[in-house]
Amino acid sequence: DVKVTQSSRYLVKRTGEKVFLECVQDMDHENMFWYRQDPGLGLRLIYFSYDVKMKEKGDIPEGYSVSREKKERFSLILESASTNQTSMYLCASSLLAGFSYNEQFFGPGTRLTVL
Amino acid sequence: AQTVTQSQPEMSVQEAETVTLSCTYDTSESDYYLFWYKQPPSRQMILVIRQEAYKQQNATENRFSVNFQKAAKSFSLKISDSQLGDAAMYFCAYSGNQFYFGTGTSLTVIP
């Protein structure tokens, strides 16, 4: 079974702090994704990566950056956290590059609160 | 731009009954895939069922089936013999040049 893990289930940070959210997948998947989930808005894509050191902006990249130094690990970085970044963050991975038939496998999510 | 619309924020169903969750999408692409994902409370999102747009036959997975109407751009999920464990948020998703999720439908199963 594919396993996607995220470094924290719950995180509380202060405004202005730099925040790192880590995601690791164990099935050698090409694609990795970061989403933000808010009530009434569904899942919105922040960034995705289809290969090591490659990244593409999603729908809401402002205020976020990402890093993929190794195939299995995809990090989401909030350079200077703000209260409007309080949300649930979901990481996902899929087998092949590009969007396709391949389902996405999700991590358990990190609920981030910025005070 | 592709969009996915779930017009029912909340639905409820009696245990053992059947419920249908609606999803419509907008696209100019001819080749794409559609998915339904389930997110139980405080648990990970999992795939329920997928449909390839070029296939006319509706996908079925045990108690879960879809009604895929390509011309109408409609992709509804039918859950038969509803069980308490079906209670969750359900998301419709589109995969073409990009991946889009709907806003979700929260399903309550009444014992």
Side-chain angles (χ1 to χ4, degrees):
Chain A
D1 282 351
V2 176
K3 194 167 185 183
V4 180
T5 57
Q6 295 183 230
S7 50
S8 305
R9 289 300 302 271
Y10 300 93
L11 209 53
V12 180
K13 296 292 182 180
R14 296 204 175 274
T15 301
E17 280 193 80
K18 191 168 185 177
V19 181
F20 292 87
L21 302 183
E22 303 283 337
C23 175
V24 177
Q25 50 94 3
D26 67 355
M27 285 299 291
D28 202 34
H29 281 180
E30 303 288 336
N31 280 352
M32 295 188 76
F33 308 84
W34 275 107
Y35 292 93
R36 173 177 170 156
Q37 183 179 8
D38 299 289
L41 297 178
L43 276 72
R44 293 179 290 168
L45 183 63
I46 305 172
Y47 269 97
F48 69 96
S49 169
Y50 52 89
D51 201 354
V52 175
K53 297 191 185 295
M54 304 303 291
K55 61 183 179 184
E56 293 286 343
K57 293 180 180 179
D59 299 317
I60 52 165
E62 296 78 19
Y64 304 95
S65 62
V66 290
S67 173
R68 195 169 180 197
E69 296 296 320
K70 292 185 178 181
K71 191 174 185 179
E72 68 271 19
R73 188 178 298 269
F74 192 36
S75 303
L76 179 69
I77 303 154
L78 286 66
E79 295 289 343
S80 177
S82 63
T83 55
N84 63 14
Q85 292 179 309
T86 292
S87 187
M88 171 71 85
Y89 290 88
L90 296 178
C91 176
S93 70
S94 67
L95 179 59
L96 296 175
F99 294 92
S100 66
Y101 179 83
N102 295 282
E103 69 178 281
Q104 295 189 14
F105 293 86
F106 285 84
T110 295
R111 185 165 293 282
L112 173 66
T113 301
V114 182
L115 302 175
Chain B
Q2 292 81 11
T3 59
V4 177
T5 302
Q6 293 179 251
S7 58
Q8 305 152 317
E10 297 177 347
M11 293 278 287
S12 62
V13 61
Q14 290 285 144
E15 197 175 2
E17 296 295 312
T18 296
V19 65
T20 299
L21 308 184
S22 301
C23 174
T24 58
Y25 59 95
D26 186 28
T27 185
S28 57
E29 297 175 323
S30 58
D31 188 18
Y32 52 88
Y33 303 89
L34 297 163
F35 304 84
W36 278 99
Y37 283 86
K38 170 185 177 182
Q39 187 182 39
S42 300
R43 293 180 61 186
Q44 284 172 247
M45 186 109 63
I46 57 172
L47 179 70
V48 174
I49 198 165
R50 79 181 107 204
Q51 174 79 42
E52 296 145 62
Y54 65 87
K55 285 189 176 179
Q56 292 188 341
Q57 186 174 2
N58 289 327
T60 298
E61 290 286 343
N62 300 314
R63 298 182 294 108
F64 297 86
S65 61
V66 298
N67 183 5
F68 173 47
Q69 303 288 330
K70 190 172 183 179
K73 297 179 182 174
S74 171
F75 182 60
S76 61
L77 175 70
K78 185 171 82 170
I79 306 174
S80 304
D81 185 26
S82 296
Q83 300 175 359
L84 295 177
D86 294 334
M89 183 73 81
Y90 287 83
F91 291 95
C92 177
Y94 169 100
S95 177
N97 283 333
Q98 285 201 349
F99 208 98
Y100 291 95
F101 283 87
T103 52
T105 296
S106 178
L107 179 67
T108 299
V109 180
I110 303 166

